[in-house]
Amino acid sequence: MNQRELGELRRRFRPEKSAISRVYGCYVNSSREIIAYIDESMGLMSQEEQEMYLGLLKKALSGGLGRNLINIEFSTAQVAGSDEHRLLQAVRQSSAQDKDAREALYRRIIDAMDMGESNYLILLAADTYDVPYKGRGDETLFQYFLCSICPVKAPTLELKYNNENSGFHSASTGHIALPPELGFLFPAFDDRAANIYNALFYSKNAAEIHQEVIDAVFR
């Protein structure tokens, strides 16, 4: 993937551009237990919520290629018949609707992921992009999914203004999903088409690429 192709995908993550119909995911505690699942229709969300979810997903395509964004290349043998590639294809080809495939992917990430004492959110969304080609009058379908893994900030107690009684009172901020620490796109968008031999991996901190998650998901 090059910077131009990356920018083309990033522009998809707006409510009026995206073909994402549902957002999936799970909320995980520091003991690697799933606290709750997410299975939400984008069409039933407010525009504000849509923008928040799409913003967290889009962040997994941020930064620079070769720094925050790392190309993952599969061998021919992996593409032909490995468990890891078969799982990614199952998520992709079902538009993330295959519950068993989603659960298997969550489990691979959770078993490998070390976020210390922090809870985190795994977000998953699938999109189908009709890639236009200038001057040719035809289109190519690019079917892909994006995964973002976001730390969750623990609630704090703060004084907040209450309109009803015109005063400041204690209130919890609630648990807040922060921008992702890592994530990935599958398959890669190379030459403006799907390349199932490649994936794109994101790490917020270029010095910490989360090799343990790369090994677990991509082998």
Side-chain angles (χ1 to χ4, degrees):
M1 287 180 68
N2 58 40
Q3 206 66 41
R4 188 172 181 177
E5 290 165 337
L6 189 58
E8 188 173 352
L9 283 190
R10 285 171 176 164
R11 290 190 290 274
R12 300 275 309 154
F13 288 83
R14 300 199 297 264
E16 71 275 13
K17 291 282 189 181
S18 171
I20 294 171
S21 61
R22 302 192 75 83
V23 176
Y24 301 97
C26 61
Y27 181 35
V28 186
N29 66 19
S30 58
S31 299
R32 295 179 173 168
E33 298 167 332
I34 295 176
I35 301 171
Y37 286 95
I38 294 171
D39 183 350
E40 300 286 345
S41 167
M42 292 288 283
L44 297 179
M45 294 180 192
S46 67
Q47 183 167 340
E48 185 179 56
E49 285 181 327
Q50 289 182 42
E51 289 173 351
M52 288 179 176
Y53 273 111
L54 292 174
L56 290 175
L57 289 161
K58 181 182 176 181
K59 279 286 186 181
L61 295 175
S62 61
L65 291 165
R67 299 196 314 273
N68 307 89
L69 294 163
I70 304 160
N71 184 57
I72 303 290
E73 186 172 344
F74 294 100
S75 68
T76 301
Q78 282 181 296
V79 173
S82 68
D83 289 341
E84 60 274 11
H85 199 273
R86 191 179 297 112
L87 174 58
L88 294 172
Q89 281 283 61
V91 176
R92 175 204 179 204
Q93 291 172 348
S94 70
S95 296
Q97 293 178 30
D98 185 330
K99 184 178 179 181
D100 291 340
R102 291 199 312 267
E103 188 69 34
L105 182 59
Y106 297 154
R107 202 69 257 171
R108 284 195 179 212
I109 294 169
I110 292 167
D111 289 346
M113 190 76 203
D114 183 7
M115 292 283 270
E117 295 302 310
S118 296
N119 293 0
Y120 60 93
L121 179 65
I122 301 175
L123 285 180
L124 199 64
D127 185 25
T128 300
Y129 176 28
D130 291 334
V131 184
Y133 284 88
K134 292 182 180 179
R136 284 173 45 183
D138 56 1
E139 297 176 337
T140 297
L141 286 179
F142 175 52
Q143 186 181 18
Y144 67 98
F145 73 90
L146 189 62
C147 178
S148 287
I149 302 170
C150 308
V152 173
K153 182 181 178 182
T156 56
L157 201 62
E158 296 180 351
L159 283 175
K160 289 189 173 183
Y161 184 74
N162 188 310
N163 285 320
E164 293 181 1
N165 53 31
S166 301
F168 284 86
H169 302 280
S170 62
S172 172
T173 58
H175 292 82
I176 299 171
L178 302 176
E181 284 289 322
L182 64 155
F184 63 90
L185 168 80
F186 178 82
F189 187 51
D190 291 337
D191 295 324
R192 304 184 72 230
N195 178 1
I196 63 170
Y197 284 81
N198 289 74
L200 190 68
F201 187 85
Y202 166 77
S203 178
K204 181 179 178 182
N205 183 349
E208 289 183 30
I209 64 167
H210 298 277
Q211 188 65 48
E212 73 282 359
V213 177
I214 292 175
D215 290 343
V217 175
F218 306 106
R219 302 295 181 194

